[in-house]
Amino acid sequence: MCEELGFEKLLDEEGFFARLFGRAPSGAGKDPLYGPDLPVVLLTGGPGMGKGRLLRAVRDRFAAKVPVIHLDCASPVYADRADPEPGARSATTEALVEVAGRLSTWQGTGGSFAFPRLFTGLAVIATGVAEGTPEAVATEAERYENLPQKQRLRGLATGDFWRGVLRGAIRNLLTTLSGQAFDPYSAAVSNALLDALFERLAPRGRVELERIYGAYPGAAGQPRIGLRILAADFRAGGEAREVAESFLFRALREDLEAAYAGPAGWLRRVGRPGLLLDHAEAPLGERLLRAVLTDRRGGQRDRVVIVGTARRSDGGAFLHGGLPPREATPPAEYRPADGAPPTWSRRTDEGADRAPLADGVLLLRMPLLSGDQLRRETVRRQQRAEPEGGANRRRIDAAVARLSGGRPHTVIRLAAAAAAFRMPADANDRDILDAPLRLPGDDATERPVAEVLLRELVLDQLPVRLPTEHHAHWLDLLTHLSVAHDTECADVLLRHHQSGHVHHLTAHHVSRLLTDTGWPTCERHFIGDFGLRQLLVHRLYGLRPGGAAWYADHHLLRDHYAVRAAAEEQRDEAPSTGGAFRSLTAHRMNHHLVSGGADDVVSHLAATLPGRPRAWCAELLEIAQAPYPGGADARRERAQGLVPADGPPLRRTVDQLLHAVWLCEERTRPTGKETARTLAKLLDLLSIMDFDGAGLLSRTATEWSGLAENEQPLLRCTCTEQLRRRR
């Protein structure tokens, strides 16, 4: 699948990123968005929404015209590089060195970049090497020796920050101290290094270091003091180290700004440089975002375009200064479907310098695929002509649309798996999850697409703050929670499935972790994303032969709510309300229905209908809003009266109606005109029976049949509304 699927308008000549960088992919200049105060742009969306895919597409489209660096903040490579010298390196400094190193060899318009300001700070923290000898410090500092000077271009003055060539200067000066005994982090070593640095500076460079490192906290305008404090803070670790790392990131951006701001830069450089931070919710990404947002809030200005990813819909908890979501002011946002990007400006009122970091952010909401885009992708994947006038393709389209909800990555995988798949005539959408898939470039055997998606959407994207002891069983816990509706039944399942574990997660913990990962919430389903829930339900049914794990979880919840309801009745209390259901009885009946108790549910509904048709209809919808277990599905035949049923007409009609409503509410198969007619017929039959309030069901017949005919949910909730909007 093309990396740009769904992002075409964002990436084209007049798109958002062309204006953000001030240069189109063709190289044409564009009036830049925003500035001189730039927002940090965060791509928001949960797993499978294409944040990383969009960043790669931006890099591929623009990196030949403007200097754009892509950084994977979740990669372990930076921590691995820092590990040999933890006193002189960190994951953050190694990432900054990589960014500077790539830009120092950039060959686009204006040529390579030099990083003397960043180099100075890196050289000073090199004094924290484990041995602490002059030779060890020189060796560490020389790791960065290619950063301070630009590659020389034939016929052009280099405009070097430094006099001459730095190579060997630090080693020559530091080795004069060799053979002498020094304590770790000796001031003599530090002083020798500073002498080496300042001796090589041109007058302009000395002024620049005074301006930058003289502004380090506690330096009082003295660059040597600032650099010594920087090194001490870095060695101290913790929050002090974060201050030092933040300042080094500022020095890198100052180097880039200098390359653009001078007369030569103004003539030779076009557009804005960019830093793309994939997986920016990882600790490294959060530190970099926090650093640039804090600097810009404090008045530091630079032209570096920072684009990061954010799983949480609010951009990340760190942006909001500890405020709970209900009290936090949401950042500005841009939805590509709305057209032109919004205007953006920072607060300027009193207290703006203490505003939450969210004030400096623009959220770009990752777009779902439209129905047309989704259909084009599934058609593109088809391998042979369609039988029956394309009926199978239309059924595949509908299944992919419902199970994916327009989530691009899920569409990609399902469409690929469905390329040679034929849906049975009365198939449940979940049948497609067993379709085999071989990933591109993967020599391994084919795997069911459900297994691939769960690996990519759940196991490969564990919550950042999920404790390590829960990593191994996170998918299993979510699988069991796929049958939960609210926090109470989620806690029942969690207590049962974590028994014997030392460390337990509660429903509150899991809900927070799902939110942090970017999964949406729903007031009627604990797993609030319809597509993820269907993947987990499918896995739950297959965990043990015959769906035993499925039935066990539903029986556990059925029995829990039966005990609670009996306790209320014994205490003569009013029925409990709240949560996802109107009553404990409705909640119990929901789980009883999907675990083999349909006849009992019919008896309950038939007995409670007379005299309360409106409340009864609401309860019926709650009970029937449930997934169907695997195996043969006789609901359609039972709804149409083709399966013999015992009892009086009221009970038989309620039996048929329950199964018709269940078909509509499960949302994993088409309903259409046939089911709509069945609903209308059954409700009309009830409306002419002899019980109190029967006539009120005539209006319900009209309403429900109209919704069913148009594939609309009878009982709406957040996740079914998302499905409705994707049609």
Side-chain angles (χ1 to χ4, degrees):
M1 177 177 175
C2 177
E3 284 285 290
E4 298 178 6
L5 176 66
F7 305 141
E8 294 87 351
K9 290 184 178 179
L10 288 169
L11 297 167
D12 66 20
E13 291 286 302
E14 303 297 330
F16 175 76
F17 286 101
R19 294 196 58 201
L20 193 63
F21 289 119
R23 199 173 193 191
S26 66
K30 295 294 175 183
D31 292 335
L33 276 172
Y34 316 124
D37 185 13
L38 286 174
V40 167
V41 177
L42 294 181
L43 313 179
T44 64
M49 285 302 297
K51 303 182 295 298
R53 186 165 60 90
L54 178 54
L55 284 189
R56 292 191 298 273
V58 170
R59 175 198 61 196
D60 295 343
R61 272 279 190 122
F62 290 89
K65 302 302 179 183
V66 288
V68 174
I69 301 299
H70 179 280
L71 205 66
D72 184 355
C73 298
S75 172
V77 67
Y78 306 112
D80 291 345
R81 292 174 186 169
D83 187 62
E85 287 289 355
R89 308 175 196 170
S90 69
T92 301
T93 61
E94 291 303 300
L96 296 178
V97 169
E98 178 163 321
V99 171
R102 291 192 209 171
L103 290 172
S104 69
T105 60
W106 194 70
Q107 297 301 310
T109 304
S112 60
F113 293 80
F115 296 91
R117 298 159 184 82
L118 173 64
F119 172 85
T120 303
L122 292 172
V124 171
I125 67 170
T127 57
V129 292
E131 290 186 27
T133 62
E135 293 86 349
V137 172
T139 299
E140 181 69 14
E142 285 176 342
R143 293 180 71 229
Y144 316 120
E145 65 183 0
N146 292 324
L147 299 184
Q149 289 183 218
K150 288 180 58 178
Q151 293 184 351
R152 296 182 181 275
L153 302 176
R154 187 181 302 275
L156 292 176
T158 61
D160 282 342
F161 193 98
W162 308 88
R163 286 197 188 100
V165 180
L166 185 69
R167 185 181 300 275
I170 292 176
R171 177 169 295 278
N172 291 339
L173 286 171
L174 287 177
T175 52
T176 62
L177 301 173
S178 62
Q180 302 181 39
F182 295 102
D183 295 328
Y185 317 127
S186 168
V189 176
S190 177
N191 288 336
L193 178 58
L194 290 174
D195 288 341
L197 292 171
F198 279 85
E199 183 174 301
R200 308 300 295 180
L201 282 175
R204 181 175 63 85
R206 191 171 292 109
V207 171
E208 273 294 282
L209 287 195
E210 289 174 356
R211 181 182 67 82
I212 294 173
Y213 289 102
Y216 193 84
Q222 300 298 314
R224 288 174 177 262
I225 294 175
L227 285 163
R228 289 193 187 98
I229 298 174
L230 171 74
D233 283 349
F234 191 86
R235 290 194 298 268
E239 292 183 6
R241 173 171 284 198
E242 290 184 13
V243 172
E245 292 170 337
S246 174
F247 208 86
L248 291 171
F249 188 21
R250 181 192 299 183
L252 182 149
R253 301 196 311 277
E254 291 264 14
D255 281 323
L256 287 174
E257 186 66 18
Y260 279 83
W266 183 80
L267 289 171
R268 295 168 53 204
R269 298 196 184 275
V270 181
R272 293 165 170 161
L275 178 58
L276 310 179
L277 302 176
D278 199 1
H279 300 108
E281 69 279 351
L284 170 59
E286 184 174 316
R287 285 195 292 272
L288 293 174
L289 291 176
R290 189 188 296 274
V292 67
L293 287 167
T294 301
D295 279 349
R296 290 179 179 178
R297 180 180 62 181
Q300 295 287 330
R301 297 291 176 260
D302 62 80
R303 71 189 70 208
V304 181
V305 171
I306 308 287
V307 183
T309 61
R311 292 179 178 180
R312 282 177 60 114
S313 61
D314 62 2
F318 79 98
L319 297 175
H320 303 284
L323 292 174
R326 63 183 178 277
E327 297 179 20
T329 301
E333 67 176 51
Y334 169 43
R335 295 182 183 272
D338 294 340
T343 58
W344 181 91
S345 61
R346 191 181 301 276
R347 283 176 51 185
T348 57
D349 58 349
E350 185 177 353
D353 59 337
R354 300 184 301 277
L357 296 179
D359 186 48
V361 166
L362 174 66
L363 303 180
L364 193 161
R365 302 294 189 191
M366 294 299 294
L368 296 165
L369 293 184
S370 68
D372 287 341
Q373 289 171 324
L374 189 151
R375 282 187 287 274
R376 285 198 298 270
E377 179 62 14
T378 55
V379 168
R380 189 176 74 84
R381 298 282 185 170
Q382 295 301 301
Q383 294 179 341
R384 58 179 181 265
E386 292 297 322
E388 302 176 10
N392 181 71
R393 182 186 59 77
R394 289 191 294 272
R395 186 66 183 88
I396 291 286
D397 286 350
V400 172
R402 277 191 286 264
L403 291 179
S404 70
R407 192 174 291 269
H409 187 78
T410 308
V411 171
I412 294 169
R413 295 297 187 231
L414 291 177
F421 187 76
R422 294 297 172 264
M423 293 286 280
D426 192 35
N428 188 294
D429 292 347
R430 288 195 300 273
D431 290 345
I432 203 174
L433 296 178
D434 287 322
L437 177 68
R438 178 182 288 115
L439 297 179
D442 189 351
D443 294 332
T445 57
E446 293 177 329
R447 291 179 291 161
V449 65
E451 182 181 325
V452 173
L453 283 169
L454 287 171
R455 162 62 60 183
E456 294 175 332
L457 299 181
V458 177
L459 294 177
D460 290 348
Q461 302 196 53
L462 294 173
V464 173
R465 290 175 175 79
L466 178 67
T468 305
E469 58 268 19
H470 296 296
H471 284 192
H473 58 271
W474 177 245
L475 177 57
D476 285 337
L477 289 181
L478 293 186
T479 299
H480 292 294
L481 288 172
S482 65
V483 303
H485 297 92
D486 52 30
T487 55
E488 181 181 349
C489 57
D491 272 325
V492 171
L493 291 164
L494 286 168
R495 284 194 296 270
H496 177 77
H497 290 290
Q498 293 179 107
S499 61
H501 291 232
V502 175
H503 303 283
H504 282 205
L505 290 171
T506 67
H508 171 73
H509 294 144
V510 174
S511 179
R512 186 184 63 191
L513 290 167
L514 288 171
T515 298
D516 286 347
T517 310
W519 292 109
T521 59
C522 177
E523 66 277 14
R524 291 191 177 276
H525 302 91
F526 187 80
I527 302 294
D529 182 83
F530 183 85
L532 175 62
R533 190 166 68 250
Q534 299 307 313
L535 283 167
L536 295 170
V537 161
H538 180 77
R539 182 175 186 267
L540 177 62
Y541 192 82
L543 276 182
R544 290 161 54 190
W550 159 287
Y551 289 108
D553 282 343
H554 282 293
H555 289 161
L556 176 69
L557 293 170
R558 176 200 65 187
D559 295 345
H560 169 78
Y561 288 105
V563 170
R564 278 204 58 199
E568 282 188 353
E569 184 177 349
Q570 185 176 8
R571 293 194 298 266
D572 197 25
E573 295 178 353
S576 295
T577 58
F581 288 81
R582 300 166 63 90
S583 68
L584 297 175
T585 298
H587 202 157
R588 174 171 66 89
M589 288 294 172
N590 173 279
H591 293 290
H592 196 29
L593 172 66
V594 299
S595 58
D599 289 337
D600 291 340
V601 175
V602 170
S603 297
H604 165 76
L605 288 170
T608 57
L609 170 56
R612 49 188 298 271
R614 295 188 187 281
W616 184 86
C617 286
E619 185 179 65
L620 169 61
L621 293 182
E622 288 185 346
I623 292 172
Q625 192 183 51
Y628 191 78
D633 185 354
R635 286 179 297 172
R636 194 178 301 276
E637 290 78 6
R638 194 158 172 175
Q640 294 171 349
L642 303 178
V643 177
D646 298 329
L650 174 62
R651 190 186 190 284
R652 294 199 304 272
T653 307
V654 167
D655 187 317
Q656 291 179 241
L657 180 62
L658 169 65
H659 288 83
V661 172
W662 192 1
L663 278 169
C664 292
E665 289 304 274
E666 189 192 13
R667 314 296 299 149
T668 57
R669 65 180 66 238
T671 52
K673 293 182 179 180
E674 179 185 305
T675 307
R677 287 193 295 267
T678 300
L679 277 177
K681 172 186 172 182
L682 296 171
L683 285 163
D684 282 338
L685 280 174
L686 288 175
S687 73
I688 60 174
M689 291 185 179
D690 186 18
F691 60 82
D692 289 345
L696 296 175
L697 296 174
S698 291
R699 174 174 291 183
T700 304
T702 302
E703 293 174 353
W704 287 9
S705 63
L707 292 170
E709 184 171 350
N710 290 281
E711 303 282 353
Q712 302 295 317
L714 306 183
L715 177 61
R716 295 186 175 184
C717 60
T718 299
C719 62
T720 57
E721 279 293 286
Q722 291 170 346
L723 281 183
R724 184 182 67 84
R725 289 193 293 268
R726 299 315 309 152
R727 290 189 68 250

